[in-house]
Amino acid sequence: MTLRQAQGDRREGRGQLSSIDLLPEEAGPEIVWALEQLRERRQPQNAILAEFNARLADRGIGSISKSSFNRYSVRRAILFRKIDDRRRIMVDVKDQLGPDKADDVTMIVSEMLKIAVFDRLEDGAPDTPELEKLARILRHSVKAQSDTLDVNKARADLQDRLDRAVKAVAEADTNGIVNKDTLSKITSLLTTGSM
């Protein structure tokens, strides 16, 4: 068996729905509650399962086995850890770039999305709905990058025009066209937006 075949087999296994995923729609609030409890890690998993099953019973829904809940919990713990790791990375990136560099964060996230899409395509042939989702993600990512570049260019153009206007006003004053008070007000408006 090749590595690609083994990965394909694992992918098919990951696609199976757990007994919790198969619960009826009425169990939604209880699943959300269980996920919140697992995420907070304030009580043991067995206590969460007991309360979860009691809540399901109150709705007339059968209980979930310990092994099913354990498998579900492990998968969710791995997912929560990945989400937390990515959040920490983004906070670190944002802190290093500073609040005035939000556009750089957009560019970094867009690049990360492109890499994730590429990785998914490289792992195997996704089905049509997944391809559509990946295409949408890629399209939005490219648009966000393009918008960021447009905003940066517009900002640079505006700053250039302001710099030239301030210089022109200063030169006009040397010719005695504008009195000092008016010059001060014009310069203040151009540089700070207020008088």
Side-chain angles (χ1 to χ4, degrees), residues 168-188 195:
V169 168
E171 288 173 1
D173 182 49
T174 60
N175 296 330
I177 298 171
V178 182
N179 69 40
K180 295 248 185 242
D181 186 45
T182 305
L183 175 64
S184 177
K185 288 178 182 177
I186 293 171
T187 303
S188 181
M195 291 195 288

